[in-house]
Amino acid sequence: MKQEQGLVIELHDGLARIKVGRHTECVSCGACPSSQHVMVEAVNKLGAKPGQRVKFELQEQHMLTGAFVVFVLPLLCAALGAVLGWQIGPWAGNTGTAPIVIGAVVCFLLSLVMVKAFDRKAARNQGLKPVIIEIIE
């Protein structure tokens, strides 16, 4: 379990929106280079109020799963699409690189649809969200 601290900004539907300062892992990611803070939604079982500092924890397994889906899955799908294009191209009468590129692009775009579906499912699943474990102030 990974523990972080942040400031509760707002509450809605049993969740707290927490502003967390960027740490070394976040800075090296570069996904949001202009942001100095990251906003996190956490399950608010302790009843934290806006303006309170809280400690929350999240399971590293969920972070790894999310990172795999967002970063690795599209690359694997593009590679699979390239191989399929390479196999299907001669059968379709085209032996150049076009079928390989088209296969890679089509499968990459399909993987982005899968990433979006995963994101929507994860956003609804409170079991995947961080949980507030302590109110500091």
Side-chain angles (χ1 to χ4, degrees):
M1 300 273 186
K2 182 174 174 99
Q3 295 185 356
E4 294 287 335
Q5 293 183 14
L7 181 68
V8 176
I9 302 299
E10 63 182 339
L11 304 173
H12 60 89
D13 300 330
L15 297 174
R17 192 171 171 117
I18 303 171
K19 181 168 70 171
V20 182
R22 295 178 73 188
H23 44 81
T24 56
E25 294 164 352
C26 194
V27 170
S28 64
C29 171
C32 48
S34 64
S35 175
Q36 294 301 313
H37 298 284
V38 176
M39 299 301 285
V40 175
E41 280 191 344
V43 177
N44 188 11
K45 293 182 180 179
L46 300 180
K49 306 268 187 271
Q52 291 182 315
R53 287 198 68 67
V54 295
K55 185 184 288 187
F56 62 94
E57 69 181 6
L58 54 126
Q59 293 184 4
E60 291 177 0
Q61 174 186 358
H62 299 315
M63 289 175 49
L64 292 174
T65 301
F68 176 82
V69 169
V70 171
F71 296 114
V72 177
L73 182 65
L75 294 175
L76 290 176
C77 287
L80 176 66
V83 170
L84 288 174
W86 176 65
Q87 291 290 321
I88 294 173
W91 176 76
N94 191 340
T95 58
T97 59
I100 297 170
V101 173
I102 291 170
V105 170
V106 167
C107 286
F108 178 77
L109 293 175
L110 288 174
S111 75
L112 296 181
V113 173
M114 291 188 291
V115 168
K116 187 66 176 171
F118 174 82
D119 181 51
R120 287 184 180 160
K121 182 179 177 184
R124 289 190 306 266
N125 187 348
Q126 287 203 6
L128 298 177
K129 295 190 183 299
V131 178
I132 295 175
I133 57 170
E134 182 182 345
I135 299 174
I136 299 171
E137 299 175 10

